[in-house]
Amino acid sequence: MGKSKGTAGVVRITGARSSLTEDVRRRQRRYMISMAVRTLCVILAVVLWKESRILAIIALVGGMFIPYVAVVIANAGRESPPTMPETFIGHQPRPMLETGVQGVPAPAPTTPQG
């Protein structure tokens, strides 16, 4: 049996969230990147202090506000659960037994003959 040829996309069959370990790892990574940018801002402020005070002050202000933003983003919590795949929402099969279908009256109840 060979694989079918074509470009079929991956179909997600569950609405489960990512694991807690993966979520914590992702938030830690974002926090570490933010702190690296903050460190670069502070170093840039020190280097630029004698060359351009305006750019140094801007970098210093950025270095002061980045920790607050990084903590808020890191503590924002888990992502919302994904929605169900659209492939399951669109098709709704008709019920097997119907009564009173669009202008057709329902059959009269029958009485047992005895």
Side-chain angles (χ1 to χ4, degrees):
M1 301 247 158
K3 293 183 179 181
S4 63
K5 294 181 181 179
T7 57
V10 176
V11 178
R12 187 176 185 136
I13 60 169
T14 180
R17 294 180 179 180
S18 60
S19 69
L20 183 59
T21 305
E22 184 179 324
D23 182 59
V24 169
R25 187 178 305 128
R26 184 180 308 119
R27 290 191 288 151
Q28 284 176 341
R29 188 178 314 124
R30 281 187 293 198
Y31 182 78
M32 292 304 292
I33 290 170
S34 298
M35 289 298 105
V37 171
R38 176 193 184 242
T39 303
L40 289 175
C41 284
V42 172
I43 291 171
L44 189 64
V46 169
V47 169
L48 291 177
W49 189 255
K50 294 207 178 203
E51 301 296 322
S52 174
R53 296 248 170 132
I54 294 173
L55 290 176
I57 291 172
I58 291 172
L60 198 58
V61 169
M64 286 173 35
F65 285 110
I66 287 176
Y68 172 75
V69 174
V71 168
V72 168
I73 291 173
N75 292 331
R78 298 189 73 183
E79 77 277 359
S80 59
T83 58
M84 291 300 290
E86 293 180 16
T87 54
F88 296 121
I89 296 172
H91 176 65
Q92 299 270 335
R94 293 181 58 144
M96 296 300 286
L97 299 175
E98 295 181 352
T99 58
V101 178
Q102 297 180 353
V104 178
T110 59
T111 57
Q113 295 178 1

Coordinates of all heavy atoms in Angstrom, one line a residue, residues 2 7 12 25-26 29-31 35 38 42 44 47 49 58 62 68-69 72 77 80-81 86 99 101 105 109-111:
G2 N 0.7 2.1 -0.9 CA 1.5 3.3 -1.0 C 0.7 4.5 -0.5 O -0.5 4.4 -0.3
T7 N -1.9 16.9 -1.8 CA -1.5 17.8 -0.7 C -2.6 17.9 0.3 O -3.3 19.0 0.4 CB -1.1 19.1 -1.3 OG1 -2.3 19.7 -2.0 CG2 0.1 19.1 -2.2
R12 N -6.9 18.3 12.5 CA -6.9 18.2 13.9 C -8.2 17.6 14.3 O -9.3 18.1 14.0 CB -6.7 19.6 14.5 CG -6.5 19.5 16.0 CD -6.2 20.9 16.5 NE -5.9 20.8 17.9 CZ -5.0 21.4 18.5 NH1 -4.2 22.2 17.9 NH2 -4.8 21.2 19.8
R25 N 7.0 26.1 28.9 CA 8.3 26.2 28.1 C 8.1 27.4 27.2 O 9.0 28.2 27.0 CB 8.6 25.0 27.4 CG 9.9 25.0 26.7 CD 10.2 23.7 26.0 NE 10.1 22.5 26.9 CZ 9.4 21.4 26.6 NH1 8.7 21.3 25.5 NH2 9.3 20.5 27.5
R26 N 7.0 27.5 26.5 CA 6.8 28.6 25.6 C 6.8 30.0 26.3 O 7.4 30.9 25.8 CB 5.4 28.4 24.9 CG 5.1 29.5 23.8 CD 3.8 29.3 23.1 NE 3.6 27.9 22.6 CZ 2.7 27.1 23.0 NH1 1.8 27.5 23.9 NH2 2.6 25.9 22.5
R29 N 10.3 30.9 27.3 CA 11.1 31.3 26.2 C 10.8 32.7 25.8 O 11.7 33.5 25.6 CB 10.8 30.4 25.0 CG 11.7 30.6 23.8 CD 11.4 29.7 22.6 NE 11.3 28.3 23.0 CZ 10.2 27.5 22.8 NH1 9.2 28.0 22.1 NH2 10.2 26.3 23.2
R30 N 9.5 33.1 25.8 CA 9.2 34.5 25.5 C 9.8 35.5 26.6 O 10.2 36.5 26.3 CB 7.6 34.7 25.5 CG 7.0 34.2 24.2 CD 5.6 34.5 24.2 NE 4.9 33.8 25.2 CZ 3.6 33.5 25.2 NH1 2.8 34.0 24.3 NH2 3.1 32.8 26.2
Y31 N 9.7 35.0 27.9 CA 10.3 35.9 28.9 C 11.8 36.0 28.7 O 12.3 37.2 28.9 CB 10.0 35.3 30.3 CG 10.5 36.1 31.4 CD1 9.8 37.2 31.8 CD2 11.6 35.8 32.1 CE1 10.2 38.0 32.9 CE2 12.1 36.5 33.2 CZ 11.4 37.6 33.6 OH 11.9 38.4 34.6
M35 N 13.9 39.5 28.2 CA 15.0 39.9 29.1 C 16.3 40.1 28.3 O 17.1 41.0 28.6 CB 15.2 38.9 30.2 CG 14.1 38.9 31.2 SD 13.9 40.5 32.1 CE 12.5 41.2 31.3
R38 N 15.9 43.5 26.8 CA 16.1 44.5 27.8 C 17.6 44.7 28.1 O 18.1 45.8 28.2 CB 15.5 44.1 29.1 CG 15.7 45.1 30.2 CD 15.3 44.5 31.6 NE 15.5 45.5 32.6 CZ 16.3 45.4 33.6 NH1 17.0 44.3 33.7 NH2 16.4 46.3 34.5
V42 N 19.9 48.2 27.7 CA 20.7 48.8 28.8 C 22.1 49.0 28.3 O 22.8 50.0 28.5 CB 20.6 48.0 30.1 CG1 21.6 48.5 31.1 CG2 19.2 48.1 30.6
L44 N 23.1 49.2 25.2 CA 23.0 50.3 24.1 C 23.0 51.7 24.8 O 23.6 52.6 24.3 CB 21.8 50.0 23.2 CG 21.7 50.9 22.0 CD1 22.8 50.6 21.1 CD2 20.4 50.6 21.3
V47 N 26.5 52.5 25.9 CA 27.4 52.8 24.8 C 27.1 54.1 24.2 O 28.0 54.9 23.8 CB 27.3 51.6 23.8 CG1 28.0 52.0 22.5 CG2 27.9 50.4 24.4
W49 N 25.6 56.8 25.5 CA 25.5 57.9 26.4 C 26.3 59.1 26.0 O 25.9 60.2 26.0 CB 25.8 57.5 27.8 CG 25.5 58.5 28.8 CD1 26.3 59.4 29.4 CD2 24.2 58.9 29.2 NE1 25.7 60.2 30.3 CE2 24.3 59.9 30.2 CE3 22.9 58.4 29.0 CZ2 23.2 60.5 30.8 CZ3 21.8 59.0 29.6 CH2 22.0 60.1 30.5
I58 N 16.2 56.9 25.2 CA 15.1 56.1 24.7 C 15.4 54.6 25.0 O 14.5 53.9 25.3 CB 15.0 56.4 23.1 CG1 14.4 57.7 22.9 CG2 14.1 55.3 22.5 CD1 14.4 58.2 21.5
G62 N 13.2 52.1 27.3 CA 12.8 50.8 26.8 C 13.3 49.7 27.8 O 12.5 48.8 28.0
Y68 N 8.3 44.9 32.8 CA 6.9 44.9 33.1 C 6.1 44.2 32.1 O 5.3 43.3 32.4 CB 6.4 46.3 33.3 CG 4.9 46.4 33.5 CD1 4.3 46.0 34.7 CD2 4.0 46.8 32.4 CE1 2.9 46.1 34.9 CE2 2.7 46.8 32.6 CZ 2.1 46.5 33.8 OH 0.8 46.5 33.9
V69 N 6.3 44.5 30.8 CA 5.6 43.9 29.7 C 5.9 42.4 29.7 O 5.0 41.6 29.5 CB 5.9 44.6 28.4 CG1 5.3 43.8 27.2 CG2 5.5 46.0 28.4
V72 N 4.0 40.6 32.5 CA 2.6 40.5 32.1 C 2.3 39.4 31.1 O 1.4 38.6 31.2 CB 2.0 41.9 31.7 CG1 0.6 41.8 31.1 CG2 2.0 42.8 32.9
G77 N -1.2 33.4 31.3 CA -2.0 32.2 31.4 C -2.0 31.4 30.1 O -1.3 31.8 29.2
S80 N -6.4 30.0 24.9 CA -7.7 29.5 24.9 C -7.8 28.2 24.1 O -7.0 28.0 23.2 CB -8.7 30.5 24.3 OG -8.3 30.8 23.0
P81 N -8.7 27.3 24.5 CA -8.7 26.0 23.7 C -9.1 26.2 22.3 O -9.9 27.1 22.0 CB -9.8 25.2 24.5 CG -10.6 26.2 25.2 CD -9.7 27.4 25.5
E86 N -13.5 22.8 11.3 CA -14.6 23.2 10.5 C -15.2 22.1 9.7 O -16.4 22.1 9.3 CB -14.2 24.4 9.6 CG -13.9 25.6 10.3 CD -13.5 26.7 9.4 OE1 -13.7 26.6 8.1 OE2 -12.9 27.7 9.8
T99 N -41.2 13.3 10.9 CA -42.7 13.5 10.8 C -43.0 14.9 10.5 O -42.4 15.8 10.9 CB -43.3 13.1 12.2 OG1 -42.8 14.0 13.2 CG2 -43.1 11.7 12.6
V101 N -43.0 16.6 7.5 CA -41.9 17.3 6.7 C -42.6 18.3 5.7 O -43.4 17.9 4.9 CB -41.1 16.2 5.9 CG1 -40.1 16.9 5.0 CG2 -40.5 15.2 6.8
P105 N -48.5 16.2 6.0 CA -48.9 15.9 7.4 C -48.4 14.6 7.9 O -48.0 13.7 7.2 CB -50.5 15.8 7.2 CG -50.7 15.5 5.8 CD -49.5 16.1 5.0
P109 N -52.2 8.2 13.7 CA -51.8 7.0 14.6 C -52.8 5.9 14.3 O -54.0 6.1 14.0 CB -52.0 7.6 16.0 CG -52.8 8.8 15.9 CD -52.6 9.3 14.5
T110 N -52.2 4.7 14.2 CA -53.0 3.5 13.9 C -53.4 2.8 15.2 O -52.7 2.9 16.2 CB -52.2 2.5 13.1 OG1 -51.0 2.2 13.8 CG2 -51.9 3.2 11.7
T111 N -54.6 2.2 15.2 CA -55.1 1.5 16.4 C -54.9 0.0 16.1 O -55.2 -0.4 14.9 CB -56.5 1.8 16.7 OG1 -57.3 1.5 15.6 CG2 -56.7 3.3 17.1

